[in-house]
Amino acid sequence: MKNIVGVDCTENGKIIYFSTEGFHIKKNVTVVVEIENSLQFGKVVTEEHPIDENNLQYKLGRIVRIATKKDYLKYKANEKDAQEALKKCRKLAKKHQLNINLLDARYTFDRDQLIFRFFSETRVDFRNLAKELASIYKVRIELRQIGVRDKAKEIGGIGSCGQELCCKRFLKDFDSVSISMAKDQNLALSPNKINGCCGRLLCCLKYENDVYKE
């Protein structure tokens, strides 16, 4: 058995689980963690709990330390610099005539990588933009194209149920949703009935799918 906690490194982003070996960590504590050989600053969003190692489907990440005041100040400085980099990137995207909607930018905690996320309905050749950004900031540049569901999560809105979109409110990962789920629930297959604000099938079609299959 291993004790683990879930950490959010991107604010309302995907929860990543880490072993608490060597630490006793409570919920809402900030930590410095290692992800894919880079350091990230994150917030613990679950209580510490045990899990059978045989049930793990991936290797757990490593908690480097509980964050200090110095770590927090560095994190906030990174955030500020990333916002300036985002403004610069938007200007350069126009210069390179790229039809993209830049959503955000962030540095890894150790500032060895600068990551930009953007939305575009078409495939984008951003190689020249990445090269120019790398020459300015002297770090590894990553430009990530996200889909319409991710964009809806960023923007938010109200669903047909009258509540805030599930993806904005609590969904951390997007499950696969198929038209067969709507058929199993005897729903009218009209797009305005079974599609969400993002134009894709409603995420909530999956919530009761197992019951309908039974």
Side-chain angles (χ1 to χ4, degrees):
M1 299 289 285
K2 275 187 177 291
N3 283 350
I4 63 171
V5 289
V7 178
D8 184 349
C9 297
T10 57
E11 296 186 8
N12 298 319
K14 184 178 180 180
I15 297 175
I16 303 174
Y17 288 90
F18 296 84
S19 168
T20 59
E21 188 174 356
F23 298 95
H24 178 60
I25 300 177
K26 295 182 179 180
K27 187 177 179 181
N28 295 323
V29 168
T30 52
V31 290
V32 176
V33 297
E34 185 178 31
I35 305 174
E36 297 178 354
N37 299 319
S38 290
L39 296 183
Q40 300 280 10
F41 185 94
K43 182 179 181 181
V44 176
V45 293
T46 70
E47 297 291 350
E48 185 175 356
H49 60 279
I51 189 170
D52 187 341
E53 292 180 68
N54 296 321
N55 294 331
L56 293 173
Q57 298 179 343
Y58 56 86
K59 186 178 178 180
L60 290 172
R62 183 173 74 92
I63 295 176
V64 177
R65 62 180 176 271
I66 294 174
T68 63
K69 183 178 181 180
K70 184 178 178 181
D71 289 328
Y72 178 75
L73 292 175
K74 181 178 179 181
Y75 164 69
K76 297 305 288 185
N78 286 348
E79 270 195 332
K80 183 179 179 181
D81 291 346
Q83 287 303 306
E84 292 301 316
L86 181 61
K87 293 176 184 177
K88 182 67 174 178
C89 187
R90 283 175 173 151
K91 290 180 181 178
L92 293 176
K94 288 182 179 180
K95 170 187 167 183
H96 290 280
Q97 298 182 332
L98 297 178
N99 185 24
I100 61 176
N101 180 9
L102 282 152
L103 299 174
D104 57 32
R106 65 182 177 88
Y107 276 103
T108 54
F109 183 72
D110 47 11
R111 292 180 74 104
D112 68 345
Q113 189 175 11
L114 180 54
I115 302 162
F116 297 90
R117 294 192 310 155
F118 70 91
F119 172 76
S120 176
E121 294 182 353
T122 59
R123 194 173 180 83
V124 178
D125 183 356
F126 49 72
R127 287 174 294 182
N128 290 333
L129 173 60
K131 286 179 183 177
E132 189 163 357
L133 288 168
S135 68
I136 295 171
Y137 295 104
K138 311 299 181 186
V139 296
R140 188 155 52 97
I141 300 295
E142 183 175 342
L143 286 146
R144 294 180 183 171
Q145 184 169 355
I146 69 169
V148 290
R149 296 173 88 188
D150 297 282
K151 185 181 180 184
K153 180 180 176 68
E154 294 292 329
I155 296 171
I158 303 299
S160 56
C161 58
Q163 297 190 59
E164 185 179 22
L165 297 180
C166 294
C167 57
K168 181 70 174 179
R169 189 154 38 104
F170 65 87
L171 284 182
K172 298 296 183 182
D173 296 299
F174 291 116
D175 287 324
S176 175
V177 183
S178 67
I179 192 70
S180 63
M181 293 178 184
K183 292 178 180 178
D184 289 341
Q185 296 172 43
N186 293 321
L187 297 174
L189 301 183
S190 171
N192 64 343
K193 295 287 187 182
I194 60 174
N195 286 356
C197 296
C198 61
R200 299 290 189 267
L201 290 169
L202 290 162
C203 291
C204 56
L205 290 176
K206 191 174 179 67
Y207 298 168
E208 299 177 4
N209 187 57
D210 291 341
V211 176
Y212 276 95
K213 286 176 73 174
E214 283 184 26

